[in-house]
Amino acid sequence: MAEAPQPNSTFLRPTFFLLTCIPGIGSAQAWLTLVFGSMYLLALLGNGALLAVVQIDTTLHQPMFLLLATLAATDLGLATSIAPGLLAVLWLGPWLVPYAACLVQMFFVHALTAMESGVLLAMACDHAVAGGRPLPYPILVTKARVGYVSLALALKAVAIVPFPLLVARFGHFRAKTIGHAHCAHMAVVELVVGNTQANHLYGLTLSLAVSGLDILGITGSYGLIAHAVLQLPTQEVRARAFGTYSCHICVILAFYVPGLFSYLTHHFGQHTVPKPVHILLSNIYLLLPPALNPLIYGVRTT
């Protein structure tokens, strides 16, 4: 049974953390297992199939589809970093996770989230160039440049390493029970004994800087796309193009809105937003985009 944090008790760095279920959901827990399990299955099948098709069909070895494959690989990693543990907690109840494994999960969740954000920006820029300057597109966007962009995005993801390092510097904890379904950075920070200002500032700055800059770039790219679509000759073609890109925008919003809400809630809304709502949204924004991206980006782009 999970122990409650005790204000006058401290623990040395624990060997294990106890991940708890989402509080206050009662009988809905079984339904959530079905929902999140379906999301994970869709993510595995959709992104796996997409990677297989791009690998097998050599005619798809083009920059646009290589970016799509990068997104699919990122989605597979992101979904797998959280879904198995989440489903275990929902299905079996509180789940023991080793301290080191908790930090590893924390790294991959945040690193792959940053990677996903960067790939979405790269794909938006690719679409803007393809729509606005189709003739010089093969010269401007090459396989080599896609490789450089992917490497830069991977390096940006590695820059998220300070999250687990900032937690590992603490030697004492108020409790061993994480009130979350996965090892979220701020959920672990709530348990530590010591000055956590650096963790709060780093998390807030990173979420606003990385996501904020990516959102600005995506907004600008889709502004250029909208301008290019309006120049198309017929209403039917314009409507079809707007339909495709509006689906893209919906998936992008499904990724960014719950994510920013989750970050900001941890810093400013802990007493106004119910914790079950916060935990549900933080899991949805990590699993919903990987489930939808193969359907929206993969099918529409092909």
Side-chain angles (χ1 to χ4, degrees):
M1 187 172 180
E3 82 268 20
Q6 314 227 348
N8 297 323
S9 302
T10 61
F11 302 89
L12 290 175
R13 181 180 297 163
T15 305
F16 291 88
F17 282 119
L18 187 66
L19 291 173
T20 62
C21 187
I22 302 171
I25 60 173
S27 60
Q29 183 170 327
W31 291 105
L32 287 177
T33 305
L34 181 62
V35 171
F36 286 127
S38 299
M39 287 184 186
Y40 185 45
L41 183 61
L42 280 175
L44 289 178
L45 295 178
N47 290 293
L50 188 56
L51 285 171
V53 169
V54 173
Q55 172 67 28
I56 293 170
D57 191 346
T58 56
T59 63
L60 299 182
H61 293 181
Q62 302 299 323
M64 183 179 295
F65 294 100
L66 293 178
L67 283 173
L68 192 59
T70 304
L71 180 65
T74 304
D75 281 336
L76 275 177
L78 182 59
T80 301
S81 69
I82 181 176
L86 170 63
L87 294 175
V89 169
L90 288 173
W91 188 256
L92 302 174
W95 186 262
L96 284 174
V97 56
Y99 175 84
C102 187
L103 296 187
V104 169
Q105 184 189 47
M106 186 186 302
F107 166 74
F108 278 107
V109 167
H110 289 287
L112 291 171
T113 300
M115 183 79 178
E116 173 118 351
S117 179
V119 175
L120 290 175
L121 172 60
M123 293 181 69
C125 294
D126 176 76
H127 293 156
V129 175
R133 305 187 66 183
L135 291 180
Y137 173 82
I139 300 174
L140 296 173
V141 183
T142 63
K143 293 181 185 179
R145 288 177 179 172
V146 170
Y148 295 143
V149 167
S150 299
L151 178 60
L153 293 175
L155 292 175
K156 184 181 78 168
V158 172
I160 311 300
V161 168
F163 271 125
L165 293 181
L166 286 173
V167 172
R169 66 195 176 98
F170 294 104
H172 292 81
F173 290 76
R174 294 186 181 90
K176 304 173 185 177
T177 301
I178 300 175
H180 212 292
H182 68 275
C183 291
H185 171 241
M186 294 310 300
V188 177
V189 169
E190 290 175 358
L191 306 181
V192 304
V193 176
N195 185 355
T196 60
Q197 185 176 5
N199 298 72
H200 287 272
L201 289 176
Y202 183 80
L204 182 60
T205 302
L206 188 73
S207 63
L208 293 178
V210 173
S211 298
L213 291 175
D214 288 347
I215 289 171
L216 286 176
I218 290 171
T219 302
S221 297
Y222 276 98
L224 295 174
I225 290 170
H227 180 266
V229 169
L230 291 174
Q231 310 304 313
L232 294 174
T234 66
Q235 181 68 29
E236 181 183 353
V237 175
R238 287 195 294 269
R240 190 167 57 201
F242 273 123
T244 296
Y245 291 120
S246 63
C247 290
H248 291 180
I249 292 172
C250 288
V251 173
I252 289 171
L253 291 176
F255 176 73
Y256 281 109
V257 172
L260 289 176
F261 177 83
S262 178
Y263 277 118
L264 296 176
T265 307
H266 258 308
H267 292 278
F268 306 113
Q270 293 186 23
H271 303 295
T272 57
V273 178
K275 192 166 186 177
V277 174
H278 169 75
I279 296 176
L280 279 173
L281 283 177
S282 68
N283 287 292
I284 287 172
Y285 103 90
L286 293 174
L287 283 176
L288 184 60
L292 292 181
N293 284 343
L295 301 176
I296 302 300
Y297 281 107
V299 174
R300 291 277 184 170
T301 301
T302 304

